[in-house]
Amino acid sequence: MPIPIAYFTIVAIWSTTPLAIQWSALGTGFAFAVMARMLIGATLALVLIVVWRIGFPLHRKARQSYLVGGLGMFGAMLSTYWGAQYIHSGLVSVLFGLTPLATSVLAVFWLGERALRPAKLIGMALGILGLALIFATGHEVSGHQAVLGIAALLLAVFLYSASLVGVKRIGDHSPPLATTAGTLLVALPLFILAWWLVDGQIPTDIPPRAGAAIVYLGIFGSVLGFALYYYVIKHMDAGKVSLITLITPVIALILGNVLNGEMIEPRVWLGAGLITLGLGLHQWPMLASAFLRR
């Protein structure tokens, strides 16, 4: 696949994922929606491994990587699906835009990476300021459940970032699709258990939009998106790849407004802009190396 097509496919998938998460839970429940998505994703990943004859390593580092990634996926996705019931889909993407900031902090403590530079610290401060501006006042936090939803999304960001750092610390070099499949296989039983504990009911009448969203997320959000991301990482400068996290929150906000009727106040745009600026400063060395070198 041409790299530009792969790149913009990732942007499209990541921009539409928050809205698809909300739609998938309407009429089905958040626990069933995420469980069904992971079941589809795990099945597809295993089929692709067999068809493409990709190895599925089971050595110690691979097993550790599957376990850490699977536990992180379970905690992050369950928190995301639950919290997404109570906040706007576009803001889910904005919150997940904080992942690089959280990952860099954890990497300092867990991977022994160099202390954060001033630009990174300023970027983090702007990200926190933007987050506070979005959620300090207004209808986004009007109610106890909305506050809990925000907390759930922030927990999801932390768990997802922790799993990324954990997998990097393990240093497994298995094929990306094998890592994706192993991660899904570890997480799937936990999602089934969570669904069983929440209600354990299979919806008798799944709304067409919810069903389509579940299938879309299972195929594109859980398998194709990750496979293309790893593919792009291998063939593009890190700075250009990092632009994905700057682009998707803005597109997700627009999609939420146009397709889901979510009102976007000027304050929300300003907060999202501060978070984007903070991410830009945080990742400036990679961006500069990709676009400013001669």
Side-chain angles (χ1 to χ4, degrees), residues 25-244:
L26 296 176
T28 64
F30 79 94
F32 176 83
V34 67
M35 183 271 292
R37 168 188 176 176
M38 297 305 165
L39 179 60
I40 294 172
T43 302
L44 177 60
L46 291 175
V47 169
L48 292 177
I49 285 176
V50 173
V51 172
W52 292 343
R53 298 181 180 180
I54 297 174
F56 188 69
L58 292 174
H59 52 75
R60 183 175 60 86
K61 283 191 175 183
R63 296 196 306 270
Q64 291 176 341
S65 179
Y66 302 157
L67 179 62
V68 171
L71 292 177
M73 174 181 286
F74 170 72
M77 287 295 99
L78 193 67
S79 300
T80 299
Y81 270 73
W82 187 87
Q85 300 175 100
Y86 308 114
I87 65 176
H88 290 171
S89 64
L91 297 182
V92 172
S93 182
V94 171
L95 283 172
F96 257 93
L98 296 170
T99 298
L101 308 184
T103 300
S104 64
V105 173
L106 294 174
V108 170
F109 295 100
W110 291 358
L111 300 180
E113 294 186 356
R114 290 185 298 177
L116 298 173
R117 296 178 179 178
K120 288 182 177 285
L121 293 174
I122 294 173
M124 290 181 181
L126 287 174
I128 294 173
L129 179 61
L131 183 64
L133 182 62
I134 290 174
F135 297 115
T137 60
H139 63 276
E140 286 83 3
V141 292
S142 58
H144 180 64
Q145 288 183 322
V147 174
L148 292 179
I150 295 167
L153 262 296
L154 293 176
L155 175 62
V157 169
F158 171 80
L159 294 175
Y160 181 69
S161 301
S163 69
L164 289 178
V165 176
V167 169
K168 184 176 180 181
R169 183 172 183 177
I170 292 170
D172 178 39
H173 298 291
S174 299
L177 186 58
T179 301
T180 300
T183 297
L184 288 168
L185 289 175
V186 169
L188 182 58
L190 299 175
F191 284 115
I192 294 174
L193 177 61
W195 163 70
W196 182 262
L197 293 176
V198 171
D199 56 34
Q201 300 294 320
I202 298 177
T204 57
D205 185 19
I206 300 177
R209 187 169 67 173
I214 291 173
V215 173
Y216 171 78
L217 291 169
I219 295 174
F220 294 92
S222 298
V223 179
L224 182 61
F226 283 106
L228 289 178
Y229 181 67
Y230 290 125
Y231 173 74
V232 166
I233 284 177
K234 291 181 179 180
H235 295 87
M236 290 187 69
D237 293 320
K240 294 180 181 178
V241 176
S242 68
L243 278 175
I244 295 174

Side-chain angles (χ1 to χ4, degrees), residues 5-15 225 228-230 232 244 248:
I5 294 178
Y7 186 91
F8 288 109
T9 300
I10 296 170
V11 172
I13 292 173
W14 287 11
S15 298
L228 289 178
Y229 181 67
Y230 290 125
V232 166
I244 295 174
T248 53

